[in-house]
Amino acid sequence: MRVSRLMLVTLRDDPAEAEIPSHKLLLRGGYMRRVASGVYAYLPLLWRVLSKISAIVRQEMNATGALETLLPALQPASLWERSGRWQGYTAGEGIMFHLVDRQERSLGLGPTHEEVITALAADLLRSYRQLPVSLYQIQTKFRDEIRPRFGLMRGREFIMKDAYSFHADEADLRLTYARMDQAYRRIFSRCGLRTVAVEADSGAIGGSASQEFMVTAAAGEDLILSSADGRYAANQERACSLPEPAVPLVCPSPEAVELHTPGQHSIEDLCAAHGLEPSQTVKVLLLLARCAIGQARVVLVSLRGDQQLNPTKLANAVSAAVGEGAGALLELEPISAEQIRSEGLPEWPLGCLGPHLGDELLSGARSWHPAFLRLADATAAELDVFVCGANRPDTHLVGARWEALGGARPSVADLRSAQPGERCLQDPTQRLEASRGIEVGHIFQLGRKYSQALEATFTNEQGLDEPLWMGCYGIGVSRLAQAAVEQHHDQQGICWPVAIAPFEVIVVVASAQDPVQVALGETLHDKLEQAGLEVLLDDRSERAGVKFKDADLIGIPWRVVVGRGAASAQVELVERASGAKSEMAADAVVAQLQQTILAARGGLALGSS
RNA sequence: CGGGAUGUGGCGCAGCUUGGUAGCGCACUUCGUUCGGGACGAAGGGGCCGCAGGUUCGAAUCCUGUCAUCCCGACCA
């Protein structure tokens, strides 16, 4: 391929819209253009990268025995109503693009395909004799993200590989899950990525066990907490740790004593004013939970004063507490004084709340459920004696005890965010370290959530019908491409790993005016292609410096410079990533590159997709 | 949706405070000189100043509204 025919337009300046290196470089290198917020045109160079990643994904998925398929992006609402996810995915902060067709039927653009695949499974899978079976597809997904970000990192339209497995029992699901785990590790390693597998929250997809694969990079959106020995790693949303022990509260009197605390509405103010430690206090947070079905509920969360609330864990706890009858949890937001007023309720002593806040405060609420949903983190529930709000303005209680406070006791759950520096649960001698990661893959054991909802059953060996066991497995293909750039770049530009580079070699003719150089460049290009390599020939009549800069920017792993030595058939070979240069005979360079590159491809032969 | 910022040739920006001929660098075209790390000179083409109202003799500039994009939070591959 000739650069002059490549429609290559590189930019000298960073586009103002890009913030992180990979986004800037993909725009500057002429790999993509933004069409709308979170929507990108993949230009020819990027499409080659995406195709190579897809080819690796295909090989590894096929090796697990999964079958490639292609499901519709346009999906009927009725299917999503059957799984109970239509509301959650379209109302409130739902992310599904949806529309109404000329027959007034509601449709959505697939953000994921559990519904479609499960309906197909219900239709096609009848007997345990057909199981297990796995299907996958590589396809464009649509998600109306609340905030698209960083180019391909969080797009509203993006390429994803999603796979679904079906099993007769849970043990078999675990086997495939483990096989997918191994396949994923091979995929990322073949793409040249350093990844870490972390325990993850299952989120809206649901199900039990799940694991994310993170490309470690400073620009990552997720915080990973891991032990130094690498045996424990989890997304902060999910991570657990041993909290520091609370500082004991010395309290001579068995009765709680009132403390005048004017204007001390935060834990910091309270502790500073009275010489207390945050771990001696219990703070109370009020949130409003809106579910698809039923009244909004006020959630009263008790946390030890030094702990941070983990919104993901709280959302899971609330969902579990309200039960399936309430449908999907649509929204969980802190309550404001205005909201309390607009419910027609008298003012609450915000800032001085205690865990024993009575349900009578909710009586007469216009739309809210008349009782608090009471939850407490274990660190708070374990305190024998503590400081908390007195539920009266400017007043706290010192020496409060759960049994003495009276009122309804909260359900105890893990609601706190693990923090870097805390001790690991499985090995208290180690402490959690923080790093950032880009989530490029996520695997789930879904269990029977979707098969039950969509009545996807099979007949087991005993002749009885039962719901299928399911797993699902995603890779963000377009995100992976950008994550690779985030991990492999320098001041000059991208340094693609050979396995996913758009081209493997670029032959740069230093002077397009010199017929000897031009001829040698052409010859080399042809020979390298005949050797089975993917070769770019920079035949433009630019000055050498411009071509070198562009070659570095677009990040082709190997550069062959045909220049001054052309008359004596000498060329220069430069490795992009290391910058290592060597002079050699033009004849020798073909064999050398063939050997090096074929090895670096990791078994992916040309055109093997 | 809340908070912050920005919209001026393809890209990066100045001009706006104090209203009066729309500018600079890069890119593009032509010519000449140059030619191994984003050359130099000359000539040239390209802009509804995001959009819509308003104020004014006159608006890129002032006012109102609106749209879009980016950043910080909730969502996720």
Side-chain angles (χ1 to χ4, degrees), chain A residues 85-378:
Chain A
R85 292 207 298 181
W86 178 256
Q87 269 291 319
Y89 267 74
T90 57
E93 297 195 330
I95 55 162
M96 182 150 61
F97 286 106
H98 52 285
L99 56 123
V100 176
D101 70 12
R102 63 176 74 234
Q103 314 285 358
E104 303 278 305
R105 288 175 296 225
S106 286
L107 298 160
L109 290 178
T112 175
H113 280 70
E114 281 83 8
E115 279 75 4
V116 171
I117 197 84
T118 310
L120 284 169
D123 192 12
L124 299 170
L125 296 175
R126 290 137 195 214
S127 159
Y128 74 93
R129 293 174 196 274
Q130 293 171 283
L131 301 175
V133 64
S134 302
L135 294 160
Y136 76 97
Q137 58 173 346
I138 296 172
Q139 183 216 38
T140 298
K141 293 281 189 279
F142 299 88
R143 292 184 185 174
D144 194 0
E145 291 287 344
I146 303 162
R147 185 150 90 88
R149 241 197 290 218
F150 302 147
L152 305 182
M153 287 298 189
R154 180 177 300 281
R156 295 194 298 165
E157 179 181 322
F158 61 97
I159 301 174
M160 178 174 173
K161 186 284 300 183
D162 49 327
Y164 306 87
S165 66
F166 299 91
H167 311 270
D169 55 54
E170 190 172 14
D172 192 54
L173 164 59
R174 289 213 190 91
L175 281 178
T176 294
Y177 181 83
R179 202 169 293 135
M180 291 293 181
D181 176 15
Q182 291 306 309
Y184 270 44
R185 288 168 200 264
R186 278 195 300 275
I187 288 167
F188 300 130
S189 125
R190 283 181 59 186
C191 289
L193 294 170
R194 295 184 299 276
T195 55
V196 49
V198 306
E199 286 181 20
D201 181 69
S202 300
I205 306 289
S208 51
S210 94
Q211 184 170 269
E212 290 168 337
F213 293 85
M214 299 283 193
V215 170
T216 48
E221 293 186 83
D222 291 281
L223 188 70
I224 303 167
L225 294 176
S226 50
S227 62
D229 64 4
R231 285 167 58 196
Y232 178 79
N235 194 311
Q236 191 185 31
E237 293 176 346
R238 161 87 181 197
C240 298
S241 65
L242 286 172
E244 298 304 317
V247 177
L249 181 63
V250 182
C251 222
S253 139
E255 299 287 311
V257 177
E258 289 193 354
L259 189 63
H260 187 52
T261 55
Q264 295 157 20
H265 293 319
S266 70
I267 294 290
E268 296 80 59
D269 293 346
L270 180 70
C271 291
H274 303 280
L276 297 165
E277 288 294 327
S279 66
Q280 298 171 325
T281 69
V282 168
K283 61 183 171 187
V284 167
L285 308 172
L286 292 175
L287 299 97
L288 191 66
R290 292 184 200 280
C291 294
I293 302 163
Q295 290 176 301
R297 295 209 61 169
V298 181
V299 184
L300 189 153
V301 182
S302 299
L303 268 181
R304 204 172 80 187
D306 62 326
Q307 300 298 314
Q308 298 299 313
L309 178 67
N310 181 319
T312 305
K313 291 180 180 177
L314 177 66
N316 289 339
V318 169
S319 294
V322 296
E324 299 220 337
L329 177 62
L330 300 180
E331 202 182 295
L332 187 57
E333 293 293 328
I335 284 185
S336 66
E338 279 117 282
Q339 285 174 303
I340 296 170
R341 243 172 279 136
S342 66
E343 278 293 301
L345 299 172
E347 204 161 312
W348 293 359
L350 300 178
C352 299
L353 297 177
H356 53 304
L357 196 66
D359 288 344
E360 63 275 8
L361 282 177
L362 287 169
S363 69
R366 294 209 173 101
S367 64
W368 295 347
H369 184 91
F372 289 111
L373 178 58
R374 296 167 189 276
L375 296 170
D377 182 65

